[in-house]
Amino acid sequence: HRGHVLIGLHAARLLREKGHMVNALCFVPVHDNYLHNKVSMKRYSEHQQGCPPGSTDLCYTMAQRCALLEALLEKEGSPGDVHVLDYEHRHASELLSDSPSFWAQQLPGGYLRTVPTVKLIKHFAQSSFVEKGSRIGAVFGIDNLAGMTFWNEPKELFACADVVLVGRRMPCVHLANPWALLSSLRHFDLHYPIPVLQGERLLFGDASGCFFNGAASGEGTLHLLPPLDGVGEQLSSTSLRATLANFLETAKSHGFASPESLDQLLRGAAAGESTLEMIDAS
């Protein structure tokens, strides 16, 4: 969504302002299989809880999502070195992997193979999109940091990539088991203070500055950048999903039942041509 676009553009701009060379900004949407598994997991959870099946399981294909993303980037006036890549589909035979520790447990009845983040970044680092001698900067919102502690093989990942986190105005971030991740990071380039804690223990982030982790076994860098400006900082995938779910439930109750009609309605809403009030008046 727009928040992800703004985060990418914001990170590239700030890194350049701070003296880093950013050769290109690439957006790489997830494989369709991931979305299929997410919908299946939602339906499985509803079934386990005895809830009626949801009616808001609307997904877009990789081709559709790339087209929507390109349109959004054009609307934001992105520079010419920004690319939207169907990378996970183009290299699916090399990237799709079994997931015994996650999807197999979440969907015991079966799941589709997906692309692990670490495998994607390591593969991308060897592609023609990355100039020889350059490093990847994997950009995330700071609220993704807790999930990164569950990545496999972080040391191998940070041999070719650094992590770029865009901050959010929040009191702190809590990490449950951070040591495999943190031991792979030698440099901390912090431009916005957000305390990162394990329990009550401060790990880093209470002050801006450049810090060196002499005990690190890897060579990766963690860049922490200031939040987006203005309303952009409030954009949230969680709130967006909840808003869309409510929107689609209301639309379904007014006869917009097929995926095609829901898609048309959403596109109209995005263009300012339809609102919930218009639906209620129909």
Side-chain angles (χ1 to χ4, degrees), residues 142 145 165 171-175 178 182 190 193-206 222 224:
I142 184 102
L145 180 59
L165 300 176
C172 62
V173 175
H174 286 278
L175 305 183
L182 296 184
L190 311 180
I194 300 179
V196 178
L197 310 172
Q198 183 189 31
E200 298 298 322
R201 179 182 181 182
L202 175 67
L203 300 173
F204 67 91
D206 59 325
L222 184 150
L224 177 55

Side-chain angles (χ1 to χ4, degrees), residues 87-110:
Y87 196 87
E88 292 197 7
H89 273 200
R90 193 183 311 171
H91 299 280
S93 62
E94 304 159 76
L95 292 173
L96 289 175
S97 303
D98 294 332
S99 180
S101 62
F102 184 74
W103 289 120
Q105 297 181 23
Q106 299 295 326
L107 295 169

Side-chain angles (χ1 to χ4, degrees), residues 247-262:
F247 185 90
L248 294 173
E249 288 286 1
T250 302
K252 185 84 178 272
S253 69
H254 286 82
F256 294 87
S258 70
E260 293 78 13
S261 64
L262 290 171

Side-chain angles (χ1 to χ4, degrees), residues 177-234:
N177 186 23
W179 302 115
L181 177 71
L182 296 184
S183 66
S184 304
L185 295 167
R186 188 172 296 276
H187 305 279
F188 292 78
D189 184 26
L190 311 180
H191 297 276
Y192 185 77
I194 300 179
V196 178
L197 310 172
Q198 183 189 31
E200 298 298 322
R201 179 182 181 182
L202 175 67
L203 300 173
F204 67 91
D206 59 325
S208 300
C210 296
F211 303 92
F212 179 77
N213 178 12
S217 58
E219 295 296 330
T221 298
L222 184 150
H223 301 272
L224 177 55
L225 303 176
L228 295 170
D229 297 325
V231 296
E233 204 272 335
Q234 303 301 321

